Amino acid sequence: MKQTDFIGGLAKGLKVMEAFGSGQPGMTIAQMSEATGLDRATARRCLLTLVELGYARTDGKHFELTPKVLRLGTAYLSATPLPQLLQPHLEALSKDVGQSASASVLEGTEIVYIARASQRRVMSINLMPGSRLPAWCASMGRVLLAALPPDQAIALLDRSDIRPLTPHTKVARNDLLEELSRVRTQGYAIIDQELELGLCSIAVPLKDSRGRTVAALNIGAPAAAVTVSDMPSDYLPVMLRVQEELRVLLS
């Protein structure tokens, strides 16, 4: 892209909006400046512009997003047929196995949930379309990373905030690269309480009719109810059936 085609003000405004998703529902100008790396004057102008447009509100000191921001996410979900296509298959799969089923796509170093059918709440956070998780330690994330050319996957790992989230989290670079290689070979990924204690999950890629990976599908289950060693035999056959059904529908 030509430098003259880049709108710096828009980029800064989007950066400010994204900063609210970092565990900071309400932020001061100083906090926003620190979170985004923008100077205070620029952060202030961005925040006041969002207030003027109705995407944020302020009590004079703290700023927070308004529900109008949901229009942006809803626009994506409405514009792409993928979530609507996947949802009935997730609901059938979830009902069949008695566990939650989800689908996500890769966005930078994170996965973004685009569809979900929940049987019970497994994680401490409430996952829904639009929710994000780090790709490197999520089963769907590893499937999506493994589908990339190795150099691209390595570049995303290098940009990721890799740290132990539980005592079981794989954080060594060589371990993660070996895991991605294993996922490429076997065609699925399994996470054993690496993302959160008590959570196990298994994921497979969702490919279109040309064989390109367009999303990932997973089943999440409580570790107390399902052993990791049993997940391939318990869930993989039905997941592969859904994978094949969707292959002919995805183009």
Side-chain angles (χ1 to χ4, degrees):
M1 183 180 68
K2 297 179 181 179
Q3 188 62 33
T4 54
D5 293 330
F6 185 81
I7 304 177
L10 176 60
K12 292 172 183 176
L14 292 173
K15 192 172 187 178
V16 166
M17 294 181 72
E18 291 176 350
F20 283 105
S22 304
Q24 294 275 14
M27 302 176 73
T28 64
I29 293 173
Q31 288 172 328
M32 181 59 71
S33 175
E34 182 178 357
T36 59
L38 301 173
D39 61 69
R40 289 172 61 105
T42 301
R44 177 179 178 274
R45 289 197 301 271
C46 289
L47 287 167
L48 291 177
T49 300
L50 291 176
V51 170
E52 180 66 23
L53 295 175
Y55 289 105
R57 54 179 167 241
T58 180
D59 60 7
K61 181 178 181 180
H62 292 88
F63 293 79
E64 62 181 22
L65 295 178
T66 68
K68 187 177 180 180
V69 172
L70 295 174
R71 293 184 183 180
L72 304 178
T74 303
Y76 166 77
L77 294 175
S78 300
T80 177
L82 192 56
Q84 294 88 342
L85 178 65
L86 297 178
Q87 190 62 43
H89 292 271
L90 293 186
E91 291 173 358
L93 175 61
S94 178
K95 183 177 180 180
D96 192 7
V97 301
Q99 303 291 353
S100 297
S102 307
S104 70
V105 294
L106 188 66
E107 202 279 305
T109 61
E110 300 176 311
I111 59 169
V112 181
Y113 280 67
I114 59 172
R116 179 167 168 81
S118 181
Q119 287 287 324
R120 57 179 67 84
R121 186 165 171 175
V122 181
M123 296 188 67
S124 60
I125 61 173
N126 186 26
L127 295 173
M128 63 187 72
S131 295
R132 291 171 173 266
L133 291 175
W136 63 274
C137 62
S139 60
M140 289 190 287
R142 288 184 180 169
V143 160
L144 293 168
L145 288 173
L148 297 174
D151 59 335
Q152 292 184 25
I154 291 172
L156 287 178
L157 285 179
D158 290 342
R159 287 168 47 198
S160 300
D161 179 20
I162 297 176
R163 53 191 169 85
L165 303 177
T166 78
H168 306 283
T169 310
K170 292 182 176 70
V171 294
R173 192 171 188 269
N174 285 341
D175 289 344
L176 292 172
L177 292 177
E178 288 178 6
E179 185 66 22
L180 293 184
S181 178
R182 184 180 302 110
V183 172
R184 290 189 189 99
T185 300
Q186 67 188 16
Y188 64 91
I190 290 182
I191 295 294
D192 182 11
Q193 303 185 77
E194 291 189 54
L195 185 62
E196 183 169 310
L197 288 175
L199 170 68
C200 298
S201 65
I202 181 171
V204 298
L206 293 178
K207 300 181 180 183
D208 63 16
S209 56
R210 298 180 182 180
R212 299 173 300 185
T213 297
V214 297
L217 165 72
N218 94 329
I219 290 174
V226 179
T227 61
V228 170
S229 60
D230 288 338
M231 293 193 90
S233 59
D234 288 350
Y235 302 138
L236 194 55
V238 66
M239 294 178 75
L240 293 178
R241 187 176 72 237
V242 173
Q243 180 192 62
E244 192 58 33
E245 290 172 354
L246 287 168
R247 184 191 297 267
V248 299
L249 299 175
L250 297 171
S251 58

